[in-house]
Amino acid sequence: MLKPLILAAVLLLSTGHAAQRPDWHPPENQTQTNIQTPADFLGYPLGEWHLRHDQINFYLKQLATQSPRISLEHTGQSHEARQQLTAVVTSAHNQQNLTNILADRAAVKQGKANDSPLVIWLAYSIHGDEASGAHAATALAYYLAASNEPWIRELLDSAVVLITPTQNPDGLDRFATWVNGHKGKVPVGDNHSREHNQDWPRGRFNHYLADLNRDWLFLAHPESQGRVALFHKWQPHYLGDFHEMGHEQTYFFQPGVPQRTHPLTPTINQQLTEKLADFHRAALDARDQPYFSRQGFDDFYYGKGSTYPDINGTVGVLFEQASARGQLQQSANGPVLLAQAIANQFATSISSLKGALALQHELREYQQEFFRGKAMQSGRMTGRLLQARQDPARRDALANLLKQHQIRFMYLSQPISANNQTFAPQDSLFIPARQPQQALIAAMFDKRTEFSDATFYDVSSFDLQSAYDLAMASDVKLSDKQLRDTPQIEPQAILPDKAVAYLIDWRHGNSTQLLQQLLNEELVVKVATGEFSLRDNSQINWPAGSLLIPAKQVKQDKTSVKILLQGLSQDWQVPVTAIGSFASASGPDLGSDDFKVIQPVKPLLLAGTGTRTTEVGELWQFLDAKLGIATPLINASRLGKIPLEQYSHLILAGGSYSTLDPDMAGDIAAFMRQGGTVIAQQSALQWLNKHKLMTASLIPSWEFDSLFDTKELGFADRENFNARKTIGGAIVELTLDPGHPISYGLTDAKLPVMKNQVQGFKSVDKPFMVAASYGKPMLKSGYLAREYEDKLAGTAAVLVETKGQGELVALADNLLFRNTWLGAEKLYANALYFVPVSMK
């Protein structure tokens, strides 16, 4: 219980009515009074209520009309169509010269020295429930607009300051609605209060429940795409990334743990980070605010906001403030108040500006040196050849990603032989080794498996070749004549009026979306369960998984079917082949029962408390946004009230399923017996195993623990030992059963996946259940304890169990990891469309 004097202080601070002026108000005699303060704009002191994204945007727009120092950058919309704004703050003179300044920034990657202003980007609240940053950013925007202090005038003459208050608009609003709805007149510091304990899914995540601070590399979300476009437009010298952490901690700023910095990050980057840290130390010491550095947080994964800059010629710095998660939380270090958190974040924002200004010559020299000597050259070039193996859509997705990172690449003008394979123009591209973004390229294709420290805050590998399941040849030398700037696009053939059926190659990445649109139109579509060829002159062997659409349909005439297919073929750039006979030259005739009718997919995705939020979001985004399947999310606790017979698939992301009634095991078993398909992954398998819904058994946790020798380990070894046992995220290889329906459309029997949980199956004795096993060797890149690899190599990774008329698809790993694992998406699509009809 709060003592009366402490309560009085809390009320004073939390409502902003302290006698002294807020930290974000400039001295009275050095303030432009025409600039509206946040309190005047809101009608209450900043921090009394948690801000919504629209309030912040309106305030930024207000400042832009009141101050010649401020203009606004628009970087697109969030999934929920919230406008993403960044304030561009600099002197009025620089504002008039932004076109020339941006032209100078565009030349930075060519290694050209220029005297354009320093660019400082301060970005906040990428996790929506880490809201002190968004409030501090609002205060900072006012301060820079209103202050006439000499150092501010010097700063704005010398620099452009970018302020992005909310990097996750959808999550911030979800959180603000929650905490404001649970705020009382008297601040409640009880950590058990609903104010501090959000319901699932929490405000941390965006609309599709993704952690946007893991998306800077793979850009699966519009918020990230706009943010990275802004980064490369301005090419900042310094980027401050402001977060919150657990309320029992104090305040953190980088440098992080030195030995956990990615080896590709230049040493001088960390030296500059340390120099900047002295400014943060001084700022927090002046506030009597405890802090720490060089502990807890690493600087390894380049998909985070503080680390992506480090491989792009910028110094990125992470800040972490103890979270009030509302207005007030009690902690071992005393009360944690939102007002204090805002003040701390404001203080380190100011120290960032002062530090960058003081070190501007070193920051400029560092960036110039980073890009020096990396300009592309004409003529014969050395680089990487990449191929999506008969999937132009995946090649094009790769090209789109590279463009967003300003990585130069070319298409092939002719087939190229390298590493005993042929790279075709239709599905390949070439990335020159020498170019301004060569450091980022090296990072994105890094495959190291040895590390000085096995502790990782996130994944230990993020190899793009594995994520996109690409064939690659390195150190290939090509001439200008072998390359072209645009892809060869072959116009889709005009379908003839006379055809008995149409064929689609399932290996094409966009064939999944095309199939779903055909099912939405209620067309009969069949899948080939074996290889076949046609009685024509094509000499093409059509693989298992090929789609067959009969021209004669129940609900549409032949002309309508042809027009529909012609349009979809053009929309998705997927070739459609018309055939004049059901007779085959080899394999089954096309009227055979070996062509199975694909049933409409009507999934039910379990969500809510007890499910892993990000995995639910990944599945939801894949089903909804990519495939176009209407996908209800239903709380696991409500499953007993749902008529399962109305659905074709029950989908379980990872999770404890603590709210799922054990009595539902019988209903789920009946669902499968009657023809339903259950797809479950990672820790969800524990619930199925416990309730005897799986034939196969899981390796228990004690058995994994017993793999590690703890003899001669002392207490001081505990942290390193626990790190060795953790799988933060390593890329492993699966060996597929090429004839299994789960493998249709995959051109290689080897498939890389991300493994980030300790999970595995015991030996499977029953035949035909194992659809994929871990390879021998198993590890492709990243860190995986040798004990795990020895235990799991060669064991099952994907099982398909027949249950009466239905199936259970059991996945030891998350195939759709962060919606960036494009190579494995086909396997999941096969579980949706083909397993239910091909296993009969």
Side-chain angles (χ1 to χ4, degrees):
M1 185 173 179
L2 290 176
K3 294 181 179 179
L5 287 177
I6 297 177
L7 177 59
V10 165
L11 286 168
L12 195 65
L13 285 167
S14 63
T15 56
H17 297 303
Q20 64 185 36
R21 288 164 63 84
D23 294 351
W24 45 87
H25 282 206
E28 286 191 79
N29 63 345
Q30 295 178 317
T31 301
Q32 298 184 39
T33 57
N34 65 305
I35 307 299
Q36 193 172 32
T37 68
D40 289 341
F41 176 81
L42 295 167
Y44 53 82
L46 182 67
E48 184 171 311
W49 295 92
H50 274 262
L51 291 175
R52 300 187 313 272
H53 178 73
D54 62 293
Q55 291 174 299
I56 297 171
N57 272 4
F58 279 125
Y59 183 61
L60 292 182
K61 292 175 181 178
Q62 179 89 319
L63 289 180
T65 64
Q66 294 176 346
S67 173
R69 297 175 176 178
I70 293 184
S71 59
L72 299 177
E73 279 270 15
H74 301 253
T75 58
Q77 294 183 321
S78 69
H79 279 296
E80 295 177 12
R82 290 181 172 88
Q83 186 181 41
Q84 298 188 105
L85 294 181
T86 290
V88 180
V89 190
T90 189
S91 67
H93 171 76
N94 287 339
Q95 286 286 355
Q96 296 300 314
N97 196 37
L98 285 185
T99 300
N100 291 330
I101 292 172
L102 284 169
D104 287 341
R105 301 313 299 151
V108 167
K109 286 188 173 68
Q110 306 308 315
K112 297 177 181 177
N114 60 64
D115 57 357
S116 64
L118 188 75
V119 178
I120 304 165
W121 185 10
L122 304 180
Y124 303 81
S125 300
I126 198 167
H127 297 138
D129 56 3
E130 299 176 5
S132 62
H135 292 75
T138 304
L140 181 66
Y142 163 72
Y143 189 91
L144 295 183
S147 176
N148 280 327
E149 295 166 273
W151 84 269
I152 291 290
R153 292 201 301 270
E154 179 190 0
L155 171 74
L156 299 184
D157 283 340
S158 306
V160 175
V161 180
L162 308 176
I163 302 173
T164 305
T166 58
Q167 299 181 83
N168 179 4
D170 301 343
L172 184 93
D173 277 9
R174 189 185 307 131
F175 176 66
T177 300
W178 177 269
V179 290
N180 287 338
H182 291 90
K183 174 180 178 290
K185 297 289 185 183
V186 179
V188 175
D190 187 334
N191 300 330
H192 302 294
S193 171
R194 278 176 61 83
E195 180 184 1
H196 311 305
N197 295 277
Q198 307 161 65
D199 279 351
W200 193 97
R202 300 187 294 141
R204 177 182 179 89
F205 310 108
N206 78 340
H207 174 80
Y208 279 113
L209 312 182
D211 185 333
L212 291 176
N213 200 40
R214 306 294 185 269
D215 195 41
W216 282 72
L217 271 185
F218 289 100
L219 306 180
H221 299 273
E223 300 93 334
S224 308
Q225 294 161 13
R227 186 162 51 250
V228 166
L230 185 71
F231 179 94
H232 289 291
K233 178 179 181 178
W234 284 97
Q235 192 63 56
H237 297 87
Y238 172 87
L239 193 155
D241 185 27
F242 293 81
H243 291 251
E244 290 180 1
M245 56 185 171
H247 69 283
E248 294 289 358
Q249 297 174 282
T250 57
Y251 197 98
F252 168 85
F253 50 83
Q254 284 177 328
V257 181
Q259 62 270 29
R260 287 160 54 190
T261 299
H262 199 290
L264 294 176
T265 298
T267 301
I268 192 173
N269 176 288
Q270 295 299 289
Q271 292 171 347
L272 285 168
T273 301
E274 178 59 39
K275 288 184 178 183
L276 289 160
D278 283 336
F279 291 85
H280 313 318
R281 293 178 183 118
L284 295 176
D285 283 340
R287 293 185 47 76
D288 296 326
Q289 169 62 47
Y291 56 81
F292 65 99
S293 291
R294 300 184 297 274
Q295 289 180 280
F297 297 89
D298 66 16
D299 214 356
F300 186 85
Y301 172 47
Y302 290 123
K304 297 189 296 183
S306 58
T307 317
Y308 181 81
D310 295 340
I311 200 67
N312 281 280
T314 300
V315 175
V317 176
L318 170 68
F319 299 89
E320 296 273 357
Q321 158 69 42
S323 179
R325 281 293 191 276
Q327 291 291 333
L328 162 71
Q329 276 204 87
Q330 287 286 21
S331 81
N333 296 304
V336 180
L337 297 109
L338 175 62
Q340 290 177 332
I342 296 171
N344 287 342
Q345 301 277 47
F346 179 81
T348 49
S349 297
I350 293 295
S351 64
S352 293
L353 297 176
K354 289 183 175 179
L357 185 63
L359 298 174
Q360 62 176 303
H361 299 299
E362 293 179 66
L363 289 169
R364 292 176 192 275
E365 179 57 31
Y366 166 68
Q367 188 171 84
Q368 185 179 341
E369 183 62 30
F370 186 90
F371 290 112
R372 182 174 285 130
K374 296 178 180 178
M376 285 189 62
Q377 296 179 333
S378 59
R380 197 165 181 81
M381 291 179 282
T382 301
R384 292 174 172 84
L385 263 177
L386 295 158
Q387 183 181 49
R389 290 186 281 232
Q390 302 185 59
D391 184 1
R394 197 154 24 101
R395 189 274 312 269
D396 293 343
L398 171 66
N400 182 49
L401 180 67
L402 298 176
K403 284 178 187 175
Q404 292 181 81
H405 290 297
Q406 295 200 352
I407 293 172
R408 289 293 310 278
F409 64 91
M410 290 90 163
Y411 298 94
L412 304 185
S413 59
Q414 60 191 62
I416 303 294
S417 295
N419 285 11
N420 298 317
Q421 54 190 318
T422 300
F423 291 79
Q426 293 78 14
D427 59 6
S428 304
L429 55 76
F430 175 75
I431 304 177
R434 176 169 173 167
Q435 60 170 294
Q437 291 296 77
Q438 65 188 50
L440 178 60
I441 296 167
M444 294 178 83
F445 291 95
D446 188 56
K447 294 174 173 60
R448 70 187 69 231
T449 57
E450 299 292 333
F451 304 89
S452 60
D453 188 329
T455 307
F456 296 92
Y457 192 77
D458 198 73
V459 295
S460 61
S461 181
F462 35 90
D463 172 35
L464 183 59
Q465 180 190 359
S466 294
Y468 279 55
D469 190 25
L470 304 169
M472 186 172 77
S474 301
D475 298 322
V476 178
K477 292 181 172 60
L478 297 180
S479 67
D480 289 343
K481 292 181 179 180
Q482 296 170 296
L483 300 168
R484 51 184 292 157
D485 292 330
T486 58
Q488 291 183 2
I489 299 177
E490 298 181 7
Q492 301 305 317
I494 302 299
L495 297 178
D497 291 331
K498 292 184 178 180
V500 299
Y502 304 90
L503 290 171
I504 295 172
D505 190 338
W506 185 244
R507 292 172 295 188
H508 197 293
N510 289 345
S511 60
T512 49
Q513 295 98 311
L514 195 153
L515 168 60
Q516 184 56 43
Q517 289 198 241
L518 293 175
L519 295 177
N520 290 344
E521 294 291 336
E522 299 185 51
L523 264 65
V524 173
V525 183
K526 299 183 178 183
V527 57
T529 59
E531 187 178 281
F532 64 96
S533 63
L534 301 175
R535 291 189 178 184
D536 57 17
N537 296 322
S538 64
Q539 297 183 335
I540 294 174
N541 287 324
W542 289 82
S546 299
L547 302 181
L548 173 72
I549 303 98
K552 185 177 181 181
Q553 296 277 336
V554 174
K555 297 195 173 182
Q556 294 202 35
D557 59 42
K558 294 180 70 172
T559 301
S560 299
V561 170
K562 186 196 83 167
I563 293 172
L564 175 63
L565 283 169
Q566 188 77 67
L568 292 176
S569 174
Q570 189 65 40
D571 291 344
W572 293 106
Q573 288 298 294
V574 176
V576 175
T577 300
I579 58 173
S581 172
F582 288 107
S584 67
S586 65
D589 287 332
L590 278 63
S592 161
D593 288 344
D594 288 350
F595 288 80
K596 307 287 187 180
V597 176
I598 301 169
Q599 299 300 319
V601 174
K602 189 174 182 183
L604 186 159
L605 176 57
L606 290 188
T609 302
T611 63
R612 188 172 175 84
T613 308
T614 53
E615 289 187 29
V616 172
E618 289 153 8
L619 288 161
W620 181 26
Q621 185 177 13
F622 176 65
L623 294 165
D624 173 59
K626 183 145 195 177
L627 298 186
I629 300 175
T631 305
L633 277 65
I634 296 174
N635 285 345
S637 60
R638 294 192 62 247
L639 189 60
K641 301 177 181 179
I642 305 300
L644 290 179
E645 67 274 7
Q646 294 182 6
Y647 302 91
S648 62
H649 293 71
L650 177 63
I651 299 177
L652 284 75
S656 66
Y657 289 86
S658 56
T659 63
L660 183 55
D661 188 340
D663 291 341
M664 283 304 302
D667 291 2
I668 294 172
F671 170 74
M672 290 189 286
R673 286 196 305 271
Q674 295 164 12
T677 299
V678 172
I679 307 175
Q681 66 189 44
Q682 293 198 309
S683 51
L685 301 177
Q686 302 284 352
W687 194 94
L688 299 179
N689 187 58
K690 178 180 178 181
H691 295 93
K692 304 186 185 314
L693 290 170
M694 294 173 54
T695 302
S697 297
L698 297 173
I699 300 172
S701 58
W702 66 260
E703 193 169 329
F704 281 119
D705 289 340
S706 69
L707 300 173
F708 294 85
D709 184 5
T710 57
K711 295 175 184 176
E712 301 180 5
L713 291 182
F715 186 80
D717 300 314
R718 182 179 57 170
E719 185 175 343
N720 287 338
F721 177 69
N722 288 334
R724 285 189 60 229
K725 292 173 59 181
T726 301
I727 306 177
I731 298 176
V732 300
E733 187 169 77
L734 303 187
T735 300
L736 306 175
D737 176 351
H740 198 287
I742 211 83
S743 302
Y744 290 171
L746 294 164
T747 56
D748 194 336
K750 305 293 185 182
L751 179 68
V753 299
M754 179 68 78
K755 187 168 190 65
N756 66 340
Q757 286 189 16
V758 181
Q759 188 81 258
F761 297 103
K762 287 188 173 182
S763 177
V764 178
D765 298 325
K766 220 173 172 185
F768 314 125
M769 278 176 46
V770 179
S773 303
Y774 291 115
K776 295 182 179 180
M778 175 180 171
L779 180 65
K780 285 185 67 68
S781 61
Y783 174 75
L784 181 70
R786 172 60 61 183
E787 290 85 348
Y788 289 140
E789 185 166 12
D790 291 344
K791 180 71 173 177
L792 293 173
T795 66
V798 178
L799 297 177
V800 181
E801 299 184 3
T802 299
K803 302 287 185 180
Q805 294 299 308
E807 295 80 26
L808 167 64
V809 180
L811 309 170
D813 301 296
N814 177 8
L815 302 180
L816 302 179
F817 184 72
R818 294 179 180 166
N819 295 112
T820 61
W821 227 251
L822 302 192
E825 284 184 346
K826 189 69 74 176
L827 195 153
Y828 208 98
N830 292 340
L832 291 169
Y833 296 111
F834 299 157
V835 163
V837 299
S838 301
M839 302 296 294
K840 301 295 189 287

